[in-house]
Amino acid sequence: MRAAAILVAVFYAATILPGSALSLAETDAQAPQERHERSETTTRHFTTRRYTTAREVTARETTARETTHAETRPASTPARTTTYRRTVPTPICTCPVVENGDAGCEGLVIAGTVVLPACDAGYKPLHRINRITCEPPGVFSDPFPVCVPVDCPPNTFGSSVPTNCTCNPGFTGVIVPSDATPYYISTCTPSLCPPNSEGLAVALGCECLPGYAGTIVPVVGGTGYIGTCDPVACPPNSEGTDVPSGCVCNAGYVGTIESSTAAPYYSGSCVPAPCPANSSGVNVPNGCTCNAGFSGTITAVVGVPYVLGACAAVGCPPPSTGLDVATGCSCGAGYSGSVIATTTEPFYINLCVALGCPVNSVGINVPLGCNCSAGYNGTVVALSVPPYVETSCSPVACPANSSGDNVGSGCTCNAGYEGTIVAISVPPFFVGVCLPAPCPLTAFGESILDGCTCAAGFEGTLTPAVGFPFYDGGCEPVDCPANSTGLGLPYGCDCLPGTVGAIGATVGFPFFIGTCLPLPCPVNTTGINVLDGCTCNAGFNGTVTGLTVAPYVANTCAPVPCPVNSTGVNVVSGCACAAGFAGAVVAATIPPFAINLCVAVGCPSGTVGINVITGCTCLINASLAIVPSIIPPYYTTACIL
């Protein structure tokens, strides 16, 4: 601002007072003075330009004309010389302000100065920019440019380059303002379609490849898009990494899976293969079972024919005949039943059962051969049609002294007869006889048929009967009578301990003679008799035991001695409480056979102590004593009570 003011002042002086001196230099011998012009250089950079201010140029280019005048002075006065210098004024231009740009100069510039204006980065001039020269009388040779913002370039959006342009959705990069044509640097490039998709670019649209699902949407910033194309999983009933990698139908399924661009992004399907011949089931994957009468397994596999294995017809099992189970089997001769086809191993139920040998015959079964039972005469023949067997076995009659339908069904000796009739398969078709049965050991007589009498000590009757022991009833031993013991009269009876007598067995009621009489209770005891039990009297201790030999009783009842704190021979003869004790001893029938009621007498009034036995002391005269006594009050004393 200071330099501009000086230049303005100089310019004013040069135009208002042309030819006048702009500076004066005086030289004085006594007071030399020197004036110097000051030059000032200002440098400003606009891009790569440098320009010079008017003051600097004026200082360099001013044409100076100097005139020297000499004055005559008195000798005493020093001579003075005056020099004049005149500056010719130079035209000056004022630099304008270029909005959104640079004028190429600043403030004032002198004529001849050449400037190169420029627009700021991102702005362009409305007309061509040339070098502009400051020309007399202080005007520029050309107009300064008008800088306008550059519009956002293609594939971008925004108000203008200087105010920020953004790459369109689907593009990546940035827009940077520049001062060179086209006044910006653009790196906006179209985003390529991402993996697993196809198309020229994201902005033009990307489609997921066949077998991939998803969408690619252009967006601003980042990669220029969002979304992915993900591989579709193999559909039901197939296996594989995913549809694009290839899917194969699962074992037992028929079909193909191809990639597609339309939902569900694959075409085709895997359907279950039907069950093969001679098998049944929903389908192969769910399992097929061989039909009844067929053997084999059906296993699902991948690819044609989708199954492994087959169902083969099962042959007729023994003992049946026929082509196979599926077409039907017939049981062999001597067998009844059927063969039923099934779906489980062995794939049939063989109901052919060998007929057992028919009634009145014996053997393992009809097919293996049967013979008439013992006691029967005839033959057994196997047939292949119902009833599958033919028999002619007939029964043989029971022999003498026996009864029954026939020998085959069994013959039993008549009542009172013993023996067995055994059927055989050769004439006369039985062995054995029936003979009169003898009397048993507990009876006597010729035979059961003739009659038997029970032996001594046994009672009962015998009646002829069929079958062992060939009689009903019997002779049972009579129990030992009262007051005796033993296995029974026939085997001997002994009198019980405590009784006396003898018992003998006889034939006929009452089957014995003699008695066993119980002994009475002995001395010092009480009770009915020894057999029923005797108890020692009160005051006695011991037992009464019956014996089987004379004297038939053992008596240990003895008097119990007098208990402690009492005196006397024994409880039975009487016991008295000892001196100093009050009470009585009572005889008893249970241990200890005496009730001891003798209790020590306490110390009387006027004495101190626990009782008379342990000692009592007189309160007034301790030298006097309390003496126990056997008569009430069971002590004597000289104490003053």
Side-chain angles (χ1 to χ4, degrees):
M1 292 299 292
R2 180 182 177 189
I6 295 173
L7 289 175
V8 170
V10 172
F11 181 76
Y12 180 79
T15 54
I16 301 304
L17 301 174
S20 62
L22 297 178
S23 63
L24 177 65
E26 295 183 355
T27 302
D28 195 287
Q30 289 79 20
Q33 296 181 352
E34 186 175 16
R35 302 186 57 163
H36 300 278
E37 290 243 358
R38 291 175 299 174
S39 65
E40 180 178 298
T41 302
T42 302
T43 302
R44 180 179 181 185
H45 294 278
F46 293 88
T47 310
T48 59
R49 303 181 187 81
R50 169 183 168 85
Y51 60 89
T52 306
T53 63
R55 182 170 183 179
E56 182 182 9
V57 174
T58 301
R60 286 202 314 263
E61 298 182 358
T62 301
T63 302
R65 292 193 297 268
E66 294 183 356
T67 304
T68 303
H69 299 276
E71 284 188 19
T72 303
R73 292 191 176 197
S76 59
T77 304
R80 186 173 77 172
T81 301
T82 301
T83 301
Y84 296 92
R85 183 172 59 189
R86 184 177 181 184
T87 301
V88 178
T90 301
I92 296 173
C93 296
T94 302
C95 289
V97 175
V98 177
E99 187 176 0
N100 300 323
D102 181 7
C105 60
E106 182 178 315
L108 303 177
V109 297
I110 63 174
T113 300
V114 178
V115 297
L116 182 61
C119 290
D120 290 342
Y123 291 84
K124 66 179 180 180
L126 289 179
H127 54 79
R128 179 178 177 181
I129 299 177
N130 297 315
R131 291 179 180 272
I132 302 175
T133 305
C134 178
E135 299 177 343
V139 294
F140 287 101
S141 61
D142 292 285
F144 281 80
V146 175
C147 296
V148 296
V150 176
D151 293 335
C152 289
N155 301 325
T156 67
F157 66 92
S159 58
S160 65
V161 171
T163 58
N164 189 24
C165 296
T166 303
C167 293
N168 284 342
F171 288 80
T172 60
V174 294
I175 305 299
V176 180
S178 172
D179 56 3
T181 305
Y183 307 106
Y184 59 84
I185 299 173
S186 173
T187 62
C188 287
T189 57
S191 297
L192 298 179
C193 290
N196 305 328
S197 66
E198 59 184 354
L200 295 177
V202 171
L204 298 178
C206 300
E207 295 291 336
C208 290
L209 293 174
Y212 290 86
T215 55
I216 306 300
V217 180
V219 296
V220 174
T223 60
Y225 66 89
I226 58 173
T228 58
C229 291
D230 299 315
V232 175
C234 289
N237 305 326
S238 67
E239 58 184 9
T241 304
D242 47 52
V243 171
S245 301
C247 302
V248 178
C249 289
N250 291 340
Y253 286 84
V254 181
T256 56
I257 303 298
E258 301 291 340
S259 297
S260 171
T261 58
Y265 309 106
Y266 62 85
S267 61
S269 62
C270 295
V271 296
C275 290
N278 301 324
S279 68
S280 58
V282 178
N283 48 52
V284 172
N286 286 319
C288 300
T289 304
C290 290
N291 291 338
F294 288 85
S295 171
T297 56
I298 304 299
T299 304
V301 296
V302 176
V304 178
Y306 311 108
V307 294
L308 181 67
C311 296
V314 176
C316 290
S320 65
T321 60
L323 182 62
D324 53 56
V325 173
T327 56
C329 303
S330 299
C331 295
Y335 290 87
S336 66
S338 61
V339 176
I340 301 173
T342 66
T343 58
T344 56
E345 196 173 356
F347 311 108
Y348 60 82
I349 298 175
N350 188 354
L351 300 178
C352 292
V353 179
L355 288 178
C357 290
V359 64
N360 303 328
S361 67
V362 294
I364 296 175
N365 51 52
V366 172
L368 295 178
C370 300
N371 295 316
C372 288
S373 299
Y376 288 82
N377 186 20
T379 58
V380 177
V381 179
L383 302 177
S384 59
V385 294
Y388 309 109
V389 65
E390 183 179 68
T391 180
S392 61
C393 296
S394 57
V396 175
C398 290
N401 300 323
S402 67
S403 58
D405 291 336
N406 51 64
V407 172
S409 60
C411 298
T412 303
C413 291
N414 293 335
Y417 287 85
E418 66 176 349
T420 56
I421 304 299
V422 179
I424 59 176
S425 58
V426 295
F429 307 108
F430 68 89
V431 292
V433 293
C434 294
L435 300 174
C439 291
L441 295 177
T442 57
F444 56 90
E446 292 295 327
S447 67
I448 294 175
L449 289 174
D450 296 326
C452 300
T453 301
C454 289
F458 289 87
E459 67 174 336
T461 57
L462 299 175
T463 303
V466 175
F468 184 84
F470 313 110
Y471 57 84
D472 288 332
C475 295
E476 300 296 331
V478 176
D479 293 335
C480 291
N483 301 331
S484 66
T485 182
L487 296 177
L489 289 174
Y491 314 110
C493 297
D494 296 320
C495 289
L496 293 174
T499 63
V500 61
I503 302 296
T506 62
V507 174
F509 186 84
F511 310 109
F512 69 90
I513 59 174
T515 58
C516 294
L517 298 175
L519 293 175
C521 288
V523 64
N524 300 326
T525 66
T526 58
I528 298 174
N529 52 53
V530 174
L531 184 63
D532 292 329
C534 301
T535 305
C536 292
N537 291 337
F540 287 85
N541 180 19
T543 59
V544 177
T545 305
L547 301 176
T548 59
V549 295
Y552 307 106
V553 62
N555 181 9
T556 63
C557 293
V560 175
C562 290
V564 67
N565 301 328
S566 66
T567 60
V569 177
N570 53 56
V571 173
V572 175
S573 60
C575 301
C577 290
F581 288 86
V585 175
V586 181
T589 58
I590 58 175
F593 307 106
I595 301 173
N596 188 356
L597 301 177
C598 294
V599 178
V601 176
C603 290
S605 176
T607 66
V608 293
I610 297 174
N611 52 56
V612 172
I613 301 303
T614 57
C616 300
T617 302
C618 294
L619 291 176
I620 296 176
N621 188 349
S623 62
L624 298 178
I626 299 295
V627 180
S629 173
I630 61 172
I631 59 175
Y634 307 108
Y635 60 84
T636 60
T637 179
C639 292
I640 299 174
L641 302 179

